[in-house]
Amino acid sequence: MHRKIEFYRIIYEFLPLIAFDKSETELKSIFVSQIISSIKPQDPYVVKIDEFGNPSVLIEIINIKNDHLFGVIGKLEDLKDGILKRFRNKDDVSVVKPDKDEINLYIENYTYFYIRFADLICAVLSNPSAPRFRTHFTNYLKDTLMSFGLE
């Protein structure tokens, strides 16, 4: 199986940091400091809610230090309401009809990402079934950092 890693440069033009009248180095330092102080590990962040009110895209920060951020972006699927989905027994491949009220699980298609703060380069382990990193992570940064006084 082939693995693909995508690389991105994190930009912060969407934030009003330019109004601070600082050098590029100072702006990057402010941006990274705000990320470190604003984002808390192990606190899943729901990025998108589906039409039934269920979370469908989430970002989870696994680890954040002064030099990096490591996390997961995933897409959740409700197992009990899937269109043209069913359960099969692993032993004999027969169709299993579980009680839908007992199935209280999501299946998650996810990918890992790692951001190096020194140059704001991000590596994403590609998973075509996971949500697109760029759009959702940009929205995540906007929502997270704007709530901490960068408006």
Side-chain angles (χ1 to χ4, degrees):
M1 177 183 284
H2 291 93
R3 301 282 182 203
K4 181 175 138 185
I5 299 176
E6 298 172 345
F7 292 92
Y8 298 95
R9 178 174 303 281
I10 303 297
I11 57 172
Y12 44 87
E13 279 110 19
F14 62 87
L15 293 172
L17 291 172
I18 304 305
F20 288 172
D21 196 28
K22 304 281 186 188
S23 71
E24 187 65 30
T25 303
E26 290 171 313
L27 289 175
K28 185 173 93 174
S29 177
I30 292 168
F31 179 65
V32 169
S33 294
Q34 285 298 316
I35 289 174
I36 292 169
S37 66
S38 301
I39 296 176
K40 305 297 179 230
Q42 308 298 42
D43 187 14
Y45 178 83
V46 176
V47 177
K48 187 176 177 186
I49 306 292
D50 71 13
E51 63 271 17
F52 303 109
N54 297 315
S56 58
V57 175
L58 66 84
I59 292 176
E60 184 176 5
I61 304 304
I62 295 171
N63 186 282
I64 186 167
K65 301 285 185 199
N66 287 335
D67 62 343
H68 75 272
L69 181 144
F70 177 65
V72 171
I73 182 169
K75 178 172 70 174
L76 303 177
E77 268 185 72
D78 195 340
L79 287 176
K80 65 181 170 185
D81 292 325
I83 298 172
L84 296 177
K85 291 182 184 178
R86 59 187 173 190
F87 291 96
R88 288 195 177 262
N89 186 311
K90 284 187 176 182
D91 296 327
D92 63 5
V93 199
S94 62
V95 174
V96 177
K97 299 217 181 229
D99 182 3
K100 289 189 176 199
D101 292 332
E102 291 179 11
I103 303 171
N104 194 24
L105 299 171
Y106 292 114
I107 188 163
E108 180 181 18
N109 287 298
Y110 67 96
T111 190
Y112 292 107
F113 62 89
Y114 178 90
I115 300 172
R116 184 175 56 205
F117 290 145
D119 52 10
L120 295 177
I121 295 294
C122 178
V124 178
L125 182 60
S126 181
N127 175 353
S129 298
R132 297 299 305 154
F133 174 79
R134 185 183 314 207
T135 302
H136 293 295
F137 195 75
T138 298
N139 290 335
Y140 170 65
L141 285 178
K142 284 179 184 177
D143 290 349
T144 303
L145 298 179
M146 290 298 185
S147 66
F148 282 86
L150 283 179
E151 301 186 83

